[in-house]
């Protein structure tokens, strides 16, 4: 059974940093591109960043480019998102998701998410 | 950026009703569209890809159609477990973008 479990969320001050983790199990992690998405309170889904299976290709939403860094450790079946220079508008539930197939970026499995709150 | 617009924002329906949700893209995305179901506190559920192909395990009452800029998700006979928010997502080009969602609620 595919499982994705996020951790690392919490309360952080504006300008602060946080590192999120996504522990994957039930599939060959290194064979799949992975992504982070978020949902702000009362808002819809927003794509944040994606990373290829080998970890050699990244994409970022303009809203987080230069502030967030996606990475992975395939030996530990774990995806990461380093959040820096955080702003109030980054407050959201952050979820990791697995890309379905090998050509396009849509997502067949998602985690339940970890809440990041940016506030002083 | 491709803007995805879903309508209506909220749909009040009864179990057993046929439901049609709309999703419009600001430019043509061919059939590069997915649909998801989201319930509070739960991970999104993958429903449809390539605009009309049901994901594994998705009941036949869910169907998708459309291409270019106009898409629909139809639930042929709404079940109690189908009350949720539905999102469309385009994957034709970066950045990936989602519609604002349609909430299907009990009338």
């Amino acid at each position: 059974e595919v499982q994705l479990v996020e951790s690392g969320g919490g309360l952080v001050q504006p300008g602060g940093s946080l590192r999120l983790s996504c522990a994957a199990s039930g599939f060959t992690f290194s064979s799949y591109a992975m992504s982070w998405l978020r949902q702000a309170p009362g808002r819809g889904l927003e794509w944040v960043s994606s990373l290829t299976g080998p970890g050699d290709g990244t994409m970022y939403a303009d809203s987080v480019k230069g502030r967030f860094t996606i990475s992975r450790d395939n030996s530990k079946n774990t995806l990461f998102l380093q959040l820096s220079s955080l702003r109030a508008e980054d407050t959201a539930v952050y979820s990791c998701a697995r890309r379905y197939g090998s050509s396009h970026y849509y997502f067949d499995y998602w985690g339940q998410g970890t809440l990041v709150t940016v506030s002083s | 950026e491709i803007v995805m617009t879903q309508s209506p924002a909220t749909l009040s329906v009864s179990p057993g009703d046929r439901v049609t949700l709309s999703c419009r893209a600001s430019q043509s995305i061919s059939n590069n569209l997915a649909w998801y179901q989201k319930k509070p506190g739960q991970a999104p559920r993958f429903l449809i890809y390539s605009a009309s192909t049901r994901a594994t395990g998705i009941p036949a009452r869910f169907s998708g159609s459309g291409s270019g800029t106009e898409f629909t998700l139809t639930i042929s006979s709404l079940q109690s477990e189908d009350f949720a928010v539905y999102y469309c997502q385009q994957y034709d080009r970066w950045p990936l973008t989602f519609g604002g969602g349609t909430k299907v609620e009990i009338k």
Side-chain angles (χ1 to χ4, degrees):
Chain A
E1 179 193 6
V2 172
Q3 287 198 335
L4 299 170
V5 180
E6 301 90 343
S7 62
L11 175 64
V12 60
Q13 292 188 337
S17 298
L18 212 55
R19 188 171 89 150
L20 308 182
S21 299
C22 167
S25 61
F27 63 102
T28 305
F29 182 67
S30 60
S31 296
Y32 287 83
M34 298 292 294
S35 299
W36 286 98
L37 302 99
R38 67 186 180 183
Q39 184 170 28
R43 304 289 296 273
L45 298 170
E46 181 187 13
W47 167 76
V48 174
S49 181
S50 295
L51 178 63
T52 56
D56 56 356
T58 58
M59 294 294 291
Y60 295 94
D62 284 347
S63 59
V64 307
K65 199 173 294 183
R67 300 187 301 121
F68 291 9
T69 302
I70 191 171
S71 63
R72 64 194 297 160
D73 184 340
N74 285 342
S75 68
K76 296 182 178 178
N77 293 343
T78 304
L79 178 73
F80 302 101
L81 187 68
Q82 178 71 42
L83 291 65
S84 304
S85 303
L86 283 161
R87 308 165 180 165
E89 55 265 34
D90 295 318
T91 294
V93 173
Y94 286 74
S95 298
C96 60
R98 187 182 84 166
R99 182 176 82 173
Y100 180 81
S102 59
S103 55
H104 293 294
Y105 275 85
Y106 46 94
F107 312 105
D108 60 351
Y109 286 96
W110 301 57
Q112 289 199 314
T114 185
L115 176 62
V116 173
T117 303
V118 184
S119 175
S120 54
Chain B
E1 170 175 319
I2 297 175
V3 177
M4 305 300 293
T5 303
Q6 290 186 244
S7 60
T10 304
L11 207 50
S12 298
V13 297
S14 301
D17 284 353
R18 179 182 179 88
V19 171
T20 300
L21 286 60
S22 294
C23 175
R24 175 177 294 177
S26 60
Q27 58 188 279
S28 178
I29 58 171
S30 185
N31 67 337
N32 294 316
L33 185 97
W35 288 94
Y36 304 90
Q37 177 193 72
K38 178 76 168 67
K39 296 180 180 180
Q42 295 186 17
R45 181 190 186 193
F46 178 44
L47 298 176
I48 299 278
Y49 65 98
S50 297
S52 61
T53 303
R54 275 190 304 277
T56 302
I58 300 304
R61 64 179 182 272
F62 290 92
S63 63
S65 64
S67 66
T69 62
E70 301 285 341
F71 302 88
T72 59
L73 174 69
T74 300
I75 309 172
S76 60
S77 178
L78 201 72
Q79 305 298 300
S80 58
E81 61 266 30
D82 300 335
F83 290 98
V85 180
Y86 292 84
Y87 292 95
C88 60
Q89 178 227 329
Q90 69 82 19
Y91 50 89
D92 189 67
R93 61 194 70 184
W94 301 97
L96 308 176
T97 49
F98 290 81
T102 291
K103 182 179 182 180
V104 177
E105 64 177 24
I106 301 174
K107 182 184 289 185

